[in-house]
Amino acid sequence: MDSHLLRTLVTVARLGSFSAAALELGYTQSAVSQQIAALEGELGAPLLHRRPVGPTEAGERMIEHARLLLERMDAARADVRRLSGPERPELLLATSPLGLDATVARALARVREAEPRLRIRVRVLPRRAVAVEVAAGRCAIGVTDGYTAPGGPLALGDLGPVRQAGLGEQPCAVLCPAGHPLRRRTAVDLDRLADASWLDASGIAAPLADLRALTGGAFPAAAGYEGQDATALLTLCATGHGLAVLPHTLAAGTGAPAGTVALPVRTPRLVHRREALFTPALDGPARALLDALPRGG
């Protein structure tokens, strides 16, 4: 029985949503559906009701077993690694798509200079999944991002022992395609744009649900983007598929498509914030990286 299938089952049941589980695990929604179907086929019983999503009686029993099996497997991996020890020191960094910037890359370089034998691995995950990986002990340190009022911190929910350290904030902007009626404005108020056409891309842009909560506006989604590639999102915005609230440096940077305009967000007060996530019990390489990261915010 594949442990990945068991982990997917437990995650879908905990979140009550195939799409939310896909975001947390870093899969597509169709991949999550296929994994659940494969597990149900192997066991010969339905494990989840689809509408609404929830465990069947057989699913409840399987989830109990799955949790125990996953805990034992994680413990077994940790024991073996502790006894055998890696051939060379390793640092695994979990990061959201907009978490890893030049300052983080330079910090990684400084850590490698101090320990040339260090093997660095970077795992790109959805924002929330970064916090989950660090909380579960599968990554020693993570860098995530999000949109919040100035001064943060990011609202990441109950993360147990995980601590948050600000790595900096920057203003937000609405990416406006060439020819859009807004393009000549010098700044925008989001509550006045609540009825515009928006691109739902919560993996990179400010989630529309957050904009609705901030302003009380509708913010209808003209199109959706479920990927983690910022360049693809910029292209969709530039070709008129909808507006998006982004970090100003991304919306106005050299990578933005020609002709687009980054309109600073005037109200509500909103910034793009990046944070390091870590637990108190850091090993040497992870502690060195945390110390090398420039703090701010």
Side-chain angles (χ1 to χ4, degrees):
M1 191 173 296
D2 192 327
S3 64
H4 292 91
L5 302 185
L6 297 180
R7 198 175 299 280
T8 298
L9 172 65
V10 170
T11 304
V12 173
R14 173 169 56 83
L15 297 176
S17 166
F18 280 73
S19 59
L23 283 173
E24 181 169 305
L25 295 170
Y27 300 135
T28 63
Q29 184 172 336
S30 61
V32 169
S33 298
Q34 291 169 11
Q35 289 179 34
I36 296 299
L39 186 58
E40 290 176 327
E42 180 179 347
L43 295 174
L47 302 176
L48 292 172
H49 300 295
R50 269 35 178 199
R51 294 185 179 177
V53 175
T56 62
E57 184 178 356
E60 289 276 13
R61 184 60 58 85
M62 189 63 229
I63 289 166
E64 293 177 8
H65 289 297
R67 285 175 176 149
L68 292 174
L69 287 168
L70 292 171
E71 288 174 2
R72 292 304 302 268
M73 292 175 70
D74 288 342
R77 291 190 190 96
D79 277 347
V80 170
R81 288 169 181 162
R82 186 165 50 250
L83 289 173
S84 61
E87 294 183 359
R88 54 191 291 195
E90 181 177 271
L91 172 61
L92 175 57
L93 171 68
T95 178
S96 60
L98 299 186
L100 180 59
D101 68 352
T103 62
V104 177
R106 286 192 289 268
L108 285 169
R110 287 195 291 273
V111 174
R112 186 194 293 278
E113 288 172 3
E115 177 51 83
R117 294 182 61 251
L118 181 66
R119 178 173 181 254
I120 293 175
R121 290 194 296 140
V122 177
R123 180 179 297 164
V124 180
L125 299 168
R127 290 174 180 139
R128 176 63 188 174
V130 173
V132 172
E133 289 294 291
V134 176
R138 291 187 287 270
C139 287
I141 189 168
V143 176
T144 194
D145 73 289
Y147 299 83
T148 185
L154 297 177
L156 299 175
D158 183 10
L159 298 179
V162 174
R163 298 178 181 177
Q164 300 170 241
L167 299 180
E169 300 175 349
Q170 64 167 299
C172 294
V174 173
L175 185 63
C176 180
H180 195 281
L182 294 173
R183 68 188 184 281
R184 291 190 176 89
R185 296 192 184 183
T186 57
V188 292
D189 302 302
L190 292 181
D191 58 351
R192 297 188 178 183
L193 301 180
D195 295 326
S197 295
W198 289 86
L199 184 57
D200 188 5
S202 59
I204 299 174
L208 297 187
D210 291 355
L211 301 184
R212 294 181 188 117
L214 281 170
T215 66
F219 289 91
Y225 176 62
E226 298 180 8
Q228 306 293 318
D229 183 354
T231 301
L233 173 59
L234 293 174
T235 301
L236 287 171
C237 291
T239 50
H241 291 281
L243 303 176
V245 174
L246 297 165
H248 191 274
T249 54
L250 178 61
T254 56
T260 56
V261 178
L263 304 173
V265 174
R266 185 165 43 211
T267 61
R269 298 184 68 204
L270 187 68
V271 296
H272 177 257
R273 178 178 171 89
R274 295 166 52 258
E275 290 184 347
L277 306 179
F278 58 96
T279 58
L282 288 176
D283 59 15
R287 171 57 63 182
L289 175 58
L290 182 62
D291 292 341
L293 288 171
R295 307 293 181 87

